[in-house]
Amino acid sequence: MRIAETITSELEREAVTTRNLLALVPTDQLTWKPCGTSMSLGVLANHIATLPGGIATVGAMDGLDLSNLNPPAPPESTAAVLAAFDEGVAKAKATIDAMGDEALMANWSLTKGGNAILTVPRMGLFRSILLNHLYHHRGQLSVYLRILGIRMPSIYGPSADENPFA
């Protein structure tokens, strides 16, 4: 199995769960925050939605200087979040599938103002920043939604609201 297949097959499986959570985001609550220092529900949902496509874009390059990074605009609706997520997942799968094992093992660097912060094999970028980072924020999103009283679907097993094994 090619390295790309291990990454894209996991992304495909996890994208289903992530999309299900994103679909629960109420458009009328996009500006809601659990506390003053947290990002808003809309900004968090949009970060999750744009992460696959954004990481695919920078992963196709040799590196990224954080000085050149611009955050996406807040979303206008849940439908816009879902569209961005679907587009980003498709882009990530296509970008990663097009890479051979040699490209995925080549070093990729994150810098700021020319100073190196992180250098990893490109595969490590996709594994940690695309996949693990996505799961981290998906967990945050599930907490936001629970606080808002939204019933939680199963993620990796039963939730208090849904048991796929019952």
Side-chain angles (χ1 to χ4, degrees):
M1 179 180 274
R2 293 177 42 236
I3 295 171
E5 292 171 47
T6 66
I7 297 168
T8 57
S9 65
E10 182 175 338
L11 178 61
E12 286 174 348
R13 284 189 313 274
E14 296 293 337
V16 173
T17 301
T18 303
R19 192 179 199 290
N20 288 341
L21 277 179
L22 288 171
L24 296 174
V25 171
T27 294
D28 66 344
Q29 295 284 333
L30 292 176
T31 59
W32 179 84
K33 294 179 175 189
C35 70
T37 59
S38 296
M39 65 179 98
S40 71
L41 176 61
V43 169
L44 176 59
N46 204 48
H47 179 60
I48 293 166
T50 59
L51 205 133
I55 297 301
T57 297
V58 300
M61 302 183 296
D62 291 331
L64 172 70
D65 190 307
L66 286 174
S67 304
N68 300 326
L69 193 59
N70 297 314
E76 296 181 14
S77 67
T78 302
V81 168
L82 292 171
F85 183 70
D86 293 342
E87 180 182 316
V89 168
K91 181 177 187 172
K93 286 172 30 183
T95 299
I96 295 166
D97 276 339
M99 292 182 182
D101 287 355
E102 186 175 322
L104 287 165
M105 293 306 296
N107 279 341
W108 182 92
S109 295
L110 180 66
T111 59
K112 184 167 186 182
N115 298 314
I117 296 171
L118 172 73
T119 299
V120 294
R122 190 172 278 112
M123 171 189 131
L125 167 73
F126 292 131
R127 174 85 243 143
S128 64
I129 307 300
L130 171 58
L131 297 174
N132 295 346
H133 188 92
L134 184 68
Y135 310 148
H136 161 73
H137 286 302
R138 185 175 71 191
Q140 283 183 301
L141 179 62
S142 69
V143 171
Y144 277 38
L145 295 173
R146 172 63 81 195
I147 292 170
L148 288 171
I150 295 171
R151 295 176 57 84
M152 282 295 97
S154 168
I155 294 177
Y156 289 122
S159 75
D161 303 313
E162 181 179 288
N163 184 350
F165 308 119

